[in-house]
Amino acid sequence: MPAIRVAAVAAHFGRDLDHDLGRIGKLIGDARAAGVGLLVLPDAALGGYLADLRHPDPSAFPPALKPDDPLFDQIAAAARDMVVCVGFCEADGDDRYNAAVCLTGDGVLGRHRKVHLPAAEGVIYRAGNSFASFDTPMGRIGMLIDYDKTFPESARTLAVDGAQIVACLSAWPASLTNAAPKMSQDRQSRLFDLYDCARAAENQIVVVSSNQTGAAGGMRFLGQAKVVGPAGNVLARTWAKAGLAVAELDVEAEIAGARRVLSHLGELRPEAYR
């Protein structure tokens, strides 16, 4: 596969679905103008994230969308030949999931339901129960939703399943319990970057990490969207501001180079782990 351009989004999304859809359309347009083939939007880009993780208000939950909601047809039409990953609140009967879908103009390529639920998310959402990679025109991809990437087993499962690129969709806030005067000094800011780079390096894959910006309720979102290479090296980033982190790379060549001497997946010793 020749070199491709991938982009991670840092942007704010709220409850107004029409506004969110317009922003997504604008971001897809900006990405197309930059020659991007894979665009990773944040978690909860349709409907916004929770406003309070400690005392969630049932009257202020994100709108729940069925997997076949017409909004996804509109995003697919805008995407055309671009691969787009987008997060939303998924309705499955009476259950709700923090979910993501990956699609192009030809339809849905893959889905993911967030497995690891922090703080009060468990009051609102049910947990997903699996991680699976899937084929796309941009290579084999897997998806994680924010807290999922805290657990090495999540990205490792996708890598073992052949993922060359892991899309991490986040609505990751600054620390709720130990706020720092500057965002750059925040504990969660440091961990967000650390997890992105560690998951890429330990699996020798590409990580495309998006995040929300701005504020919702008492939470401030970090931004810090980035593309990380298979050596754990940051190839592009937005810092705390809204925007696109765009990187051009030959994914297969980058991964082959990283695994030329030390191939972490090939040298696993699962019989020794517990």
Side-chain angles (χ1 to χ4, degrees):
M1 180 182 293
I4 61 172
R5 286 194 173 190
V6 300
V9 172
H12 181 70
F13 296 89
R15 293 288 182 266
D16 187 331
L17 288 170
D18 288 336
H19 186 268
D20 293 340
L21 195 63
R23 176 159 291 174
I24 290 170
K26 174 66 164 55
L27 287 163
I28 290 174
D30 291 346
R32 177 167 288 111
V36 168
L38 168 64
L39 180 68
V40 179
L41 293 154
D43 176 27
L46 285 171
Y49 188 59
L50 307 177
D52 191 333
L53 277 177
R54 287 171 290 189
H55 307 289
D57 178 1
S59 67
F61 290 169
L65 306 174
K66 292 183 179 180
D68 59 352
D69 191 284
L71 284 178
F72 297 112
D73 294 333
Q74 295 182 56
I75 296 173
R80 304 202 303 257
D81 59 347
M82 188 185 299
V83 177
V84 177
C85 301
V86 58
F88 68 105
C89 174
E90 179 185 347
D92 184 358
D94 292 332
D95 293 329
R96 300 291 180 266
Y97 293 89
N98 192 341
V101 62
C102 184
L103 50 75
T104 69
D106 292 329
V108 172
L109 303 172
R111 296 183 181 276
H112 176 60
R113 288 172 169 175
K114 185 175 179 180
V115 172
H116 302 96
L117 304 181
E121 269 201 30
V123 176
I124 303 150
Y125 299 116
R126 292 183 64 85
N129 58 15
S130 65
F131 299 96
S133 303
F134 48 90
D135 293 322
T136 81
M138 296 294 110
R140 193 160 175 82
I141 292 177
M143 294 189 291
L144 302 176
I145 298 176
D146 39 41
Y147 195 45
D148 282 338
K149 72 179 174 185
T150 302
F151 300 86
E153 296 84 354
S154 304
R156 174 56 52 82
T157 300
L158 294 173
V160 169
D161 195 29
Q164 300 162 303
I165 300 172
V166 169
C168 295
L169 297 80
S170 293
W172 195 290
S175 177
L176 301 176
T177 57
N178 189 23
K182 294 182 179 180
M183 196 77 83
S184 60
Q185 300 170 341
D186 187 89
R187 178 171 62 93
Q188 288 299 327
S189 175
R190 179 177 60 83
L191 289 174
F192 187 81
D193 283 349
L194 175 65
Y195 293 145
D196 285 338
C197 294
R199 299 297 88 89
E202 66 198 4
N203 295 295
Q204 298 170 306
I205 56 173
V206 175
V207 167
V208 185
S209 175
S210 61
N211 197 19
Q212 293 237 16
T213 60
M219 293 194 293
R220 297 179 301 153
F221 297 108
L222 296 172
Q224 298 179 201
K226 67 182 73 65
V227 179
V228 186
N233 50 319
V234 177
L235 302 174
R237 66 185 307 159
T238 65
W239 301 103
K241 295 181 179 180
L244 294 175
V246 180
E248 181 173 340
L249 69 165
D250 182 328
V251 175
E252 291 183 355
E254 290 278 346
I255 291 174
R259 297 176 181 176
R260 183 175 296 116
V261 176
L262 300 176
S263 178
H264 300 167
L265 299 184
E267 293 152 1
L268 291 172
R269 293 287 304 279
E271 71 278 4
Y273 312 144
R274 58 175 179 166

